[in-house]
Amino acid sequence: MGGSSIGEGTLSLGDFVASAKALIEKWKVIDVEDSLPDWQWKPCGKTGVPSEEEGYLALEGVYRNPGGRHAQSSSESVHIYDYHVVYSFSYKVPVLYFQGHQAGGQLLTLDEIKEDLPSHSLKLLGESKWTFITREEHPHFSRPWFTLHPCGTSDCMKLLLEGVENKDQHVQYLPAWLSVVGQARCIMSPGNLETTEDQLPRSN
């Protein structure tokens, strides 16, 4: 569909939707931590997009203790995070939007969010050219959310998908992308979600 090439590290809107729905189904059958909710497809009513392709991928209500440890339920010391994966029409890649809040509902600052991250995630954010955090308007909510800027995503994805058969690339795109983004934001991405018969290459 229309004007993008997975071989170049980008994907079309249709391939994004297909990869999102494949990830949702695989997440249901693999061994995921009990503390993590399921990814869900959230339909949206934006105009100008075919109805079957309106929406975004969401992982909401993730409880986290300081240091990035996942928790089972809310308490005063636990922070709650929502993660949305939205298709970027400008970059033709997925973009992660996220926000965290305290149990009482107060939104977390960027410094508070960084305090929740384990050391390896902070190291990745400091070293990687394509996982730096900015604050931008959420395209579906018109409110500012934190986001991982997508400017280097296509270059990274081109490397990650090398060796994956063309017929599997659109399905494997989001699991491969999440394997890197999930490290930066400490979203647990189970190893068997990231593999097919051939292990996907990973960035250094």
Side-chain angles (χ1 to χ4, degrees), residues 136-189:
E136 296 182 5
E137 184 177 282
H138 192 298
H140 294 294
F141 297 150
S142 300
R143 295 194 301 271
W145 281 48
F146 292 109
T147 182
L148 295 181
H149 199 279
C151 61
T153 299
S154 60
D155 289 340
C156 183
M157 291 308 301
K158 189 188 301 186
L159 293 173
L160 282 174
L161 292 173
E162 280 182 357
V164 178
E165 292 187 18
N166 289 339
K167 65 183 179 63
D168 295 326
Q169 284 185 347
H170 73 284
V171 174
Q172 288 301 317
Y173 190 105
L174 280 179
W177 172 82
L178 188 61
S179 74
V180 176
V181 170
Q183 293 177 56
R185 280 300 310 134
C186 196
I187 305 169
M188 297 305 178
S189 181

Side-chain angles (χ1 to χ4, degrees), residues 37-55:
D38 289 333
W39 284 99
Q40 297 180 327
W41 181 255
K42 298 278 190 175
C44 256
K46 289 194 74 132
T47 59
V49 182
S51 59
E52 69 272 12
E53 295 183 345
E54 296 180 66

Side-chain angles (χ1 to χ4, degrees), residues 37-179:
D38 289 333
W39 284 99
Q40 297 180 327
W41 181 255
K42 298 278 190 175
C44 256
K46 289 194 74 132
T47 59
V49 182
S51 59
E52 69 272 12
E53 295 183 345
E54 296 180 66
Y56 56 92
L57 195 60
L59 184 72
E60 298 180 332
V62 178
Y63 295 101
R64 179 171 296 143
N65 289 315
R69 299 184 304 277
H70 291 95
Q72 293 287 353
S73 60
S74 177
S75 71
E76 286 188 5
S77 63
V78 170
H79 293 158
I80 302 101
Y81 285 85
D82 295 330
Y83 301 98
H84 292 171
V85 180
V86 180
Y87 182 74
S88 168
F89 287 91
S90 299
Y91 289 92
K92 295 184 172 60
V93 296
V95 181
L96 179 70
Y97 289 82
F98 62 94
Q99 66 177 6
H101 56 88
Q102 298 174 2
Q106 183 177 354
L107 289 175
L108 301 177
T109 65
L110 180 56
D111 286 340
E112 288 173 323
I113 287 172
K114 286 183 175 180
E115 288 176 3
D116 282 348
L117 294 175
S119 58
H120 72 272
S121 293
L122 288 172
K123 184 172 184 288
L124 182 63
L125 284 169
E127 294 177 350
S128 175
K129 68 178 183 180
W130 74 286
T131 54
F132 63 91
I133 297 174
T134 63
R135 193 172 176 87
E136 296 182 5
E137 184 177 282
H138 192 298
H140 294 294
F141 297 150
S142 300
R143 295 194 301 271
W145 281 48
F146 292 109
T147 182
L148 295 181
H149 199 279
C151 61
T153 299
S154 60
D155 289 340
C156 183
M157 291 308 301
K158 189 188 301 186
L159 293 173
L160 282 174
L161 292 173
E162 280 182 357
V164 178
E165 292 187 18
N166 289 339
K167 65 183 179 63
D168 295 326
Q169 284 185 347
H170 73 284
V171 174
Q172 288 301 317
Y173 190 105
L174 280 179
W177 172 82
L178 188 61
S179 74

